[in-house]
Amino acid sequence: MKRLVSALLVGLGVILASAGCAGLYPADPHGTLSEVTGGVLRVGVSHNEPFVSVRGPVPSGREVELVEDYARTLDAEIAWTADGEEELVDQLEHGQLDLMIGGLTNRTPWEQKVGLTRPYTETTDEFGQQEKHVMAVRKGENAFLLDLDEFLQSQGGQS
Amino acid sequence: MAAHHNIENEPLPEEVAADLRRAVRLEWATIVCLVLIVGLVYAVMGNSQAMKTAWIEDMLSFVPPIAFLIGVHMTRRPATAERPYGYHRAIGIAHVVAATALLVMGGYLVVDSALKLITVDHPTIGGIQLFGTTLWLGWLMMAAMVVTAIPPVILGRMKLKLAPPLHNKVLYADADMNKADWMTSLAATVGVAGIGLGWWWADSAAAIVIATSILKDGITNLKAAVAGLIDARPTSVDNKDPHPLLGDIDAYLRGLDWVHTAGARVRDEGQVFHVEGFVVPRAAELPTPDRIQAAQRGLFDLDWKVRDVTITPVRRLPSVLEAHAGPSRH
């Protein structure tokens, strides 16, 4: 037990030391944030008005505008992929997308398969229920998620 | 209160009753502490498996104090015609309940955490809005783990001092778990710190470490509790050695001037012992009712834990006792 404890203590020391050295904390296991910065942000869109509309030649809607604003902060180009939610979740899981929007709420059944942002706005649906809107990122890409969270919170209040 | 805690209608010795009152107060303090800890950890646990495991461990930590308080409350009831041995075994039952909870939950958490590792589940921790800025939730998790590590360790050390004089194994198990609680917090902190470094596996690995320690607590305690209930030879509260009182009881009986040899079968009733003494008299007419009653009184005076004594004159000791009972030498 003593050996386990000292191993853990050493481990914690190493972790905190390297966290201090690395400028980026938390980090992404797959490096999403550093790849999209100045690069291409691959965004999956599923039709869900008024948040996302794929009727026109390019996607439009509130969330599309938010993502366009966010991409500007990263100096990133956006590559849109329009598809059904299930297909988009699959692509997100396999790292073929970085971000997915489509009027998702924090009660989405995809919660186990994707990482969700903090709710960035609330609406009331046709049944009178409060809906907290979120976006989905690839699971575990915490630096990217935190960056997006920061952006969304800074836009807070706009819906 | 303590005045009712007896079989022979005698109160506990004052210092033991005082220890018991302190233990009860400490267990209430533990419960209050746990309510705060469970609330705090739940508020920040997010998607971390290690945090979830640490939280469930905190929830499980409610079981031993509650088992202790119920057990102690039950043992205060006096023996009656329907319950001629009193209610002392309530402590043993409480011990089994607490140990089973630990065992089942530890096993579940080991499997759950291992599955997360096998399915390459990447824990996702985002930001939280705090005082107008967005902070990584992982920092809050680590802070919560550091803060919640401290009170159980202090309470555990205080309770650990009381467990041996009270000979209460539920209290001991609880204190021991509290004392080791900082390791859970440390493991969870390492897990969350690992997530921050992009080591997605660190979280599940830490969770497995925590869960294994819960499982180990469960197994050790269940063994000890079951041993108590099937009347195994009493041991010290840490279950390591035979209880020293056993030797004292045998020595006292063998030291009686009318006794050739003697041995006692002792049941651990949770906090108190029930003694069945077997004595081989030097001559058949020596074990008079007066002598037997005097021997009984002598055993009661030996230690407060001796709460019920029967002494039987026999020609030969029962075989289980004969093995290690040499004849007295005087």
Side-chain angles (χ1 to χ4, degrees):
Chain A
M1 203 45 128
K2 284 229 166 65
R3 282 180 57 196
L4 178 70
V5 169
S6 42
L8 280 172
L9 275 174
V10 170
L12 189 61
V14 170
I15 283 168
L16 292 182
S18 36
C21 299
L24 211 66
Y25 192 88
D28 289 329
H30 295 289
T32 300
L33 184 59
S34 53
E35 268 180 38
V36 299
T37 305
V40 180
L41 182 64
R42 300 165 301 171
V43 184
V45 282
S46 82
H47 188 79
N48 185 353
E49 284 179 323
F51 306 100
V52 174
S53 168
V54 295
R55 282 189 212 285
V58 286
S60 57
R62 291 178 199 169
E63 286 187 346
V64 171
E65 284 164 29
L66 269 174
V67 168
E68 281 169 344
D69 287 344
Y70 176 59
R72 262 191 287 283
T73 70
L74 293 173
D75 201 18
E77 301 278 318
I78 301 178
W80 302 102
T81 303
D83 216 323
E85 266 186 24
E86 189 169 349
E87 175 61 29
L88 291 176
V89 165
D90 205 34
Q91 292 190 28
L92 204 57
E93 273 193 290
H94 289 89
Q96 289 161 343
L97 291 175
D98 302 313
L99 178 61
M100 166 186 163
I101 54 174
L104 296 172
T105 72
N106 64 346
R107 289 186 312 195
T108 174
W110 303 116
E111 200 192 346
Q112 297 299 320
K113 293 178 181 288
V114 299
L116 298 178
T117 64
R118 307 282 302 170
Y120 69 90
T121 187
E122 273 186 39
T123 60
T124 310
D125 69 6
E126 67 260 45
F127 308 109
Q129 275 181 321
Q130 286 290 306
E131 298 206 305
K132 296 179 172 181
H133 289 273
V134 299
M135 298 180 183
V137 301
R138 190 178 183 188
K139 255 198 135 179
E141 298 298 282
N142 292 322
F144 179 61
L145 177 61
L146 181 61
D147 194 64
L148 179 59
D149 267 338
E150 274 169 356
F151 170 79
L152 290 175
Q153 300 305 326
S154 72
Q155 307 288 303
Q158 310 180 353
S159 56
Chain B
M1 276 300 192
H4 300 290
H5 180 257
N6 57 71
I7 279 202
E8 298 285 306
N9 294 323
E10 281 173 20
L12 284 174
E14 186 42 43
E15 70 271 19
V16 177
D19 278 350
L20 193 59
R21 283 195 296 271
R22 281 188 61 205
V24 167
R25 274 202 304 274
L26 282 174
E27 292 292 28
W28 279 111
T30 306
I31 288 174
V32 171
C33 238
L34 281 175
V35 169
L36 299 175
I37 288 174
V38 161
L40 177 62
V41 175
Y42 182 78
V44 299
M45 90 179 152
N47 282 322
S48 160
Q49 178 71 12
M51 291 293 288
K52 181 181 136 195
T53 311
W55 182 70
I56 292 177
E57 203 221 11
D58 291 336
M59 291 287 278
L60 283 174
S61 303
F62 278 114
V63 177
I66 291 172
F68 173 84
L69 290 171
I70 294 175
V72 165
H73 183 77
M74 292 289 290
T75 59
R76 282 174 175 159
R77 297 189 188 178
T80 61
E82 298 86 42
R83 304 274 190 275
Y85 295 97
Y87 289 79
H88 296 286
R89 281 275 161 88
I91 301 261
I93 294 169
H95 199 188
V96 170
V97 170
T100 309
L102 290 175
L103 180 78
V104 171
M105 215 58 219
Y108 167 77
L109 289 174
V110 168
V111 172
D112 191 36
S113 311
L115 275 178
K116 297 250 166 171
L117 207 54
I118 292 164
T119 56
V120 195
D121 184 72
H122 288 204
T124 312
I125 301 176
I128 185 170
Q129 187 84 338
L130 211 66
F131 310 118
T133 54
T134 304
L135 187 74
W136 189 51
L137 188 56
W139 290 120
L140 283 190
M141 293 181 183
M142 287 188 260
M145 279 293 107
V146 171
V147 170
T148 59
I150 300 159
V153 175
I154 296 171
L155 285 167
R157 286 190 173 279
M158 291 168 80
K159 286 187 271 188
L160 212 49
K161 286 200 191 90
L162 293 174
L166 288 173
H167 186 70
N168 190 308
K169 291 186 181 180
V170 181
L171 185 63
Y172 179 83
D174 181 38
D176 204 35
M177 279 170 58
N178 285 163
K179 207 188 85 186
D181 199 54
W182 64 273
M183 284 189 274
T184 303
S185 302
L186 179 65
T189 311
V190 171
V192 174
I195 296 176
L197 289 177
W199 301 346
W200 61 268
W201 45 265
D203 186 47
S204 303
I208 290 174
V209 171
I210 301 170
T212 310
S213 96
I214 300 174
L215 186 62
K216 198 181 127 263
D217 282 343
I219 293 171
T220 328
N221 277 296
L222 194 58
K223 267 191 196 159
V226 168
L229 285 185
I230 59 173
D231 295 329
R233 181 176 61 184
T235 57
S236 53
V237 278
D238 57 9
N239 304 307
K240 282 184 183 139
D241 310 301
H243 198 281
L245 199 50
L246 301 183
D248 298 347
I249 291 168
D250 283 353
Y252 173 81
L253 290 175
R254 280 176 218 157
L256 295 169
D257 54 9
W258 54 275
V259 167
H260 171 64
T261 185
R265 237 167 25 182
V266 181
R267 290 191 180 125
D268 187 342
E269 297 277 323
Q271 288 197 115
V272 301
F273 289 171
H274 287 187
V275 179
E276 290 177 310
F278 296 92
V279 292
V280 180
R282 292 182 179 281
E285 69 282 1
L286 286 176
T288 62
D290 283 349
R291 282 189 168 126
I292 285 180
Q293 208 169 353
Q296 220 173 3
R297 275 257 61 90
L299 284 179
F300 282 138
D301 292 342
L302 212 54
D303 195 292
W304 69 272
K305 279 196 283 296
V306 178
R307 278 275 135 175
D308 198 326
V309 173
T310 49
I311 292 177
T312 316
V314 288
R315 288 198 188 281
R316 288 194 57 185
L317 290 182
S319 54
V320 289
L321 299 174
E322 215 167 28
H324 44 88
S328 72
R329 313 231 176 264
H330 61 260

